Amino acid sequence: MKKYIKLLSLSSLLVLAACSEDFITNEPFTDKVEENFYKTPKDALQGLVAVYDVLQREGYGGFLLNTETASDNCYGGFGTADSNVALELDRFQFVTDKEMNDPIWETCYIGIYRANILLEHLDNIEWGADTALKTRYEAEARFLRAHFHFELARVFGDIVPLDHTVKSDEFQLPRQSAEVTYALIAEDFKFAAENLGPENYSQPSNANYGRVTKWAAEAYLAKAFLFYTDYYEKPDLAGVVTKAEAVNYINDVVNNSGHNLVEDFRGLWLASAASANVPYEGEGNNEMVFAIRFNGSGNTDWNLHEGNRFAVNIAVRGASPAEAPFAQGWGGATVTPVLYNAYEDGDIRRDATILNYAVDAPTFDAEAAGVRQYTGYSWKKFCPITDEAGQNLVSKNGGDFQIDNYEDYPVIRFSDVLLMAAELNLDTNTSFAQACIDRVRARAFGDDTHSVPVTKASIMEENRLEFALEGHRWFDLIRQDMATTKAAVDASSMPGGFETSFRTETLGWFALPQSQIIISNGTIEQNPGW
């Protein structure tokens, strides 16, 4: 079967001779297919863009929403008339929708497939003397392949790692051990770190704005090292990256990348900046080491994936102009009071991260809006905004408020780099580790008087506060141990449908989509506890 590659425009008209043998045997003239496409560097760039394009498929049922709901940061939420899927996800149940995690599985494997297609055709390109460009495209594709594998492995545990496009006799490949998967992840990120240049692409004025970099690859190696060595209790990253190498990678990003913290944490987020009346730093700020870029150019076209489709899920349910600058959405993943109360007085991250209705929208009527599991708190990070009259800015500019939101999703910020550096240097360079965590806390409080002794526990707590609602918390919990996860997640103190009980027999892994169990013909078994 031909694998068709979508083109933006076609201008050729093919005149066919009826019933001729040429009609049957000629290759397509009006469509680009795998067999005739990968010829020029321009073709390779289009193939690379196709891999990047998959990053934007973050929405309902995706990585960010599902992991935050599973954590102690959020309940299921949404509306009183909505399905029970979000509640079951929060309660570690698997009843109503056996495909509840399919968007994660499907999106990541689409990304892996597209990366492998490109990688397998790089040798077919007529590169001429520009072999450095070939190496760069390979490095970017391998970075993205590692990103998708890492998301899958952190969510589902043992997966099917793919370093090539599968053939017809490989459709029922078994899952591999974590060591095999993480070795591929580590090798891909290492290749990217060694073959991408030292540029910092965080500024929109840069021609390569938004593309992955050496610094993103080094930071990702550190992140993979910390998760793998903690969860699986191993001394190195699948035999590929040692502790000393991980330290060198993350220290290089701290000292040499040119990335830095923005001055005001509130300026990182649209709604936070608007509600606090501080300047919005913009998507191209120097803190973003690796971010998924969105824009509103989809113009209400559901066939495109240009805009942020996640934001509408957590925005204020039934918002009216009275709730300006917070725009309307579905009220999913209501924030727990435990998270709100975890912040110290004076920590500006609390009110930049969490929308407190009593303060930010005191006239909001949760009952009239039909909010399920209303806690008085919701997401301020990623919440879309309105103008002063309460009109949704996306709709005002001709977009669909459900699919055309434009705020980026930061996968790795420089504060993440600092806290990973603190953790990795904890045993060998305590003064450097202390300096790293101090930088994060100094920004949070606006002074140098809130230093805490650097320990594994204080770093974990700082991760919790700094990256709340950014998709970090669940993995910081399960990489410690199941008892820690259960103690944090279990909730019974709030009456009326807020009860949550983490089942340690799941080992922290999500349920596989049932369709994958079925089509594997028994090669893949469901995760434990599901």
Side-chain angles (χ1 to χ4, degrees):
M1 179 181 292
K2 300 291 186 184
K3 303 177 184 69
Y4 285 85
I5 298 170
K6 185 177 179 181
L7 297 179
L8 296 178
S9 64
L10 293 172
S11 57
S12 302
L13 177 64
L14 178 62
V15 180
L16 300 173
C19 302
S20 71
E21 184 177 348
D22 286 345
F23 172 72
I24 298 173
T25 60
N26 279 350
E27 69 178 48
F29 288 95
T30 57
D31 290 291
K32 289 289 188 181
V33 297
E34 185 181 336
E35 288 78 1
N36 70 9
F37 181 64
Y38 292 96
K39 303 295 184 185
T40 69
K42 182 179 178 181
D43 295 340
L45 179 59
Q46 290 186 37
L48 180 60
V49 170
V51 189
Y52 274 101
D53 179 69
V54 181
L55 293 171
Q56 295 174 315
R57 300 189 181 195
E58 181 67 46
Y60 177 77
F63 179 86
L64 179 55
L65 184 65
N66 285 17
T67 62
E68 285 294 334
T69 300
S71 80
D72 55 342
N73 287 343
C74 300
Y75 293 112
F78 286 97
T80 53
D82 288 336
S83 77
N84 289 329
V85 174
L87 294 179
E88 291 173 7
L89 179 65
D90 180 46
R91 295 167 179 171
F92 306 93
Q93 299 169 350
F94 193 46
V95 180
T96 301
D97 184 4
K98 299 294 186 178
E99 302 296 297
M100 63 198 307
N101 299 308
D102 183 67
I104 305 172
W105 182 278
E106 181 178 328
T107 296
C108 289
Y109 275 115
I110 289 173
I112 292 167
Y113 170 76
R114 291 188 181 184
N116 283 332
I117 284 283
L118 174 61
L119 290 167
E120 289 173 0
H121 286 84
L122 287 177
D123 287 338
N124 300 333
I125 303 295
E126 298 171 0
W127 297 100
D130 199 355
T131 56
L133 185 62
K134 175 187 175 183
T135 301
R136 173 180 171 174
Y137 285 3
E138 180 181 357
E140 290 187 64
R142 290 183 65 173
F143 176 104
L144 294 169
R145 183 172 70 178
H147 163 79
F148 291 122
H149 274 119
F150 189 42
E151 285 204 346
L152 283 168
R154 284 193 293 169
V155 169
F156 296 113
D158 290 349
I159 61 167
V160 182
L162 296 174
D163 63 356
H164 64 283
T165 55
V166 296
K167 310 302 185 237
S168 59
D169 61 347
E170 297 179 300
F171 287 165
Q172 295 177 355
L173 289 171
R175 293 196 282 179
Q176 298 292 323
S177 68
E179 185 176 11
V180 173
T181 297
Y182 279 90
L184 177 59
I185 290 169
E187 292 287 2
D188 278 350
F189 279 140
K190 276 191 71 175
F191 186 89
E194 293 166 0
N195 290 281
L196 293 173
E199 299 85 359
N200 179 333
Y201 295 149
S202 64
Q203 302 304 315
S205 58
N206 192 298
N208 293 306
Y209 169 62
R211 295 172 74 163
V212 299
T213 66
K214 162 191 174 73
W215 311 117
E218 290 188 334
Y220 236 145
L221 277 165
K223 185 174 289 289
F225 179 93
L226 286 169
F227 182 81
Y228 179 81
T229 55
D230 265 2
Y231 187 92
Y232 295 101
E233 299 181 339
K234 300 291 185 180
D236 56 35
L237 179 52
V240 178
V241 177
T242 66
K243 173 71 176 294
E245 289 172 325
V247 170
N248 287 338
Y249 282 130
I250 201 64
N251 289 2
D252 192 29
V253 187
V254 172
N255 296 323
N256 301 311
S257 69
H259 286 286
N260 207 338
L261 300 177
V262 302
E263 183 176 354
D264 192 323
F265 182 89
R266 297 168 296 184
L268 288 167
W269 321 99
L270 273 171
S272 306
S275 63
N277 196 28
V278 301
Y280 175 50
E281 292 287 347
E283 298 168 341
N285 68 74
N286 201 31
E287 188 161 334
M288 300 302 176
V289 178
F290 174 47
I292 295 174
R293 310 292 183 181
F294 296 104
N295 62 70
S297 65
N299 294 323
T300 75
D301 188 343
W302 284 80
N303 294 312
L304 298 177
H305 287 267
E306 302 294 334
N308 182 333
R309 298 190 179 193
F310 167 79
V312 70
N313 290 283
I314 53 82
V316 179
R317 189 173 186 87
S320 68
E323 281 75 57
F326 309 110
Q328 177 186 8
W330 309 141
T334 53
V335 172
T336 65
V338 171
L339 175 60
Y340 184 85
N341 293 326
Y343 290 91
E344 300 173 57
D345 291 341
D347 190 337
I348 66 170
R349 294 174 299 188
R350 184 193 68 185
D351 294 337
T353 299
I354 302 170
L355 194 162
N356 177 0
Y357 285 88
V359 175
D360 295 312
T363 63
F364 179 72
D365 189 335
E367 184 175 354
V371 181
R372 184 172 60 192
Q373 293 185 309
Y374 179 70
T375 62
Y377 307 109
S378 67
W379 298 48
K380 193 175 288 186
K381 283 181 181 177
F382 304 116
C383 186
I385 62 173
T386 71
D387 61 16
E388 292 182 357
Q391 184 176 1
N392 186 298
L393 289 182
V394 169
S395 302
K396 183 178 180 178
N397 292 323
D400 187 314
F401 77 98
Q402 302 168 91
I403 62 174
D404 291 325
N405 289 292
Y406 50 87
E407 186 167 12
D408 291 346
Y409 167 36
V411 180
I412 301 176
R413 293 193 282 112
F414 188 68
S415 55
D416 194 7
V417 170
L418 289 171
L419 292 176
M420 287 192 289
E423 189 170 348
L424 283 165
N425 284 276
L426 190 58
D427 298 329
T428 56
N429 192 345
T430 307
S431 61
F432 183 66
Q434 185 69 60
C436 287
I437 193 174
D438 284 348
R439 290 175 68 179
V440 176
R441 287 187 62 81
R443 180 179 65 174
F445 290 92
D447 58 44
D448 296 323
T449 65
H450 286 81
S451 177
V452 295
V454 62
T455 63
K456 182 69 172 280
S458 65
I459 293 168
M460 286 295 177
E461 183 63 12
E462 207 59 35
N463 282 347
R464 179 191 190 190
L465 304 174
E466 177 75 14
F467 307 114
L469 312 181
E470 294 181 55
H472 295 231
R473 177 61 171 170
W474 179 248
F475 307 109
D476 274 346
L477 286 173
I478 68 171
R479 73 180 171 101
Q480 295 178 75
D481 54 61
M482 293 302 101
T484 298
T485 305
K486 185 170 180 61
V489 170
D490 280 10
S492 60
S493 59
M494 291 184 65
F498 292 88
E499 297 77 11
T500 299
S501 180
F502 171 61
R503 294 185 295 110
T504 58
E505 62 268 27
T506 65
L507 305 180
W509 306 130
F510 285 15
L512 294 170
Q514 189 63 29
S515 59
Q516 299 303 317
I517 309 296
I518 295 170
I519 64 177
S520 76
N521 196 28
T523 305
I524 295 177
E525 296 181 354
Q526 185 55 269
N527 271 334
W530 296 102

